[in-house]
Amino acid sequence: MVEQPLCASADLDERGKAVLFDVLLWGQPARAFALRFDGRVVAYMNRCAHVPTELDWQPGEFLDLDKRWIICSIHGATYEPADGHCIAGPCRGERLMALDVVEREGQVYWYPSPDIRPVVFD
C-alpha cells in the first residue's frame, strides 16, 4: 500500500491534541487519530474496543487530565497510548485498532491496510 500524507510533524505536540483524519474502515466512513506519546507518533481508529463509539471527549482530546492514558469518554475504558492495549474498564485485555505510521523529514504518513483505506474524492 502507498503511504498517505497525514500532517506535519510539528502539528503533533508531545501528549497534546491528536490529529483526526477520515478513513474507510471495512468500506465504511470512519475516523482515525494520531498523537505523539513519549516522542513517538502512534495512530489508532477512533473506536472503543468495548462498543464501537468514538473515544475523544472533545475533538482531538483523547488523553486523561494527567496526559498518561487514552480514555474512552463514553465507557471509561483506559488504554495504553504506546500500544493501544486496554488496561482498565469494560474491554480490559483488548486493544485499539492501530494504523501503521512513519515520521520522516518533518512529515507524518500513514499506511493503508486491507481493512483501513484512504477516503478517495472524485
Side-chain angles (χ1 to χ4, degrees):
M1 295 284 159
V2 176
E3 67 187 15
Q4 303 293 308
L6 178 56
C7 66
S9 294
D11 291 345
L12 295 172
D13 292 330
E14 177 66 28
R15 297 184 189 211
K17 193 171 183 176
V19 169
L20 296 165
F21 58 106
D22 294 317
V23 298
L24 295 175
L25 175 63
W26 303 307
Q28 300 298 313
R31 278 249 153 131
F33 68 96
L35 60 85
R36 185 178 303 282
F37 189 83
D38 289 348
R40 195 174 128 245
V41 177
V42 294
Y44 300 103
M45 291 302 305
N46 189 359
R47 185 180 175 100
C48 183
H50 173 233
V51 173
T53 185
E54 292 191 351
L55 297 159
D56 44 343
W57 49 275
Q58 291 289 323
E61 299 291 346
F62 292 87
L63 299 176
D64 67 333
L65 293 175
D66 294 329
K67 307 286 187 188
R68 175 64 190 99
W69 310 106
I70 295 172
I71 304 287
C72 176
S73 65
I74 304 297
H75 308 103
T78 303
Y79 298 92
E80 172 61 55
D83 60 17
H85 278 99
C86 183
I87 58 156
C91 58
R92 189 178 183 104
E94 295 182 48
R95 67 185 314 167
L96 297 174
M97 188 179 298
L99 288 84
D100 289 329
V101 291
V102 66
E103 185 172 19
R104 180 177 67 249
E105 298 174 2
Q107 179 71 35
V108 178
Y109 301 89
W110 70 278
Y111 290 91
S113 70
D115 294 332
I116 306 167
R117 301 222 174 242
V119 175
V120 178
F121 298 99
D122 293 332

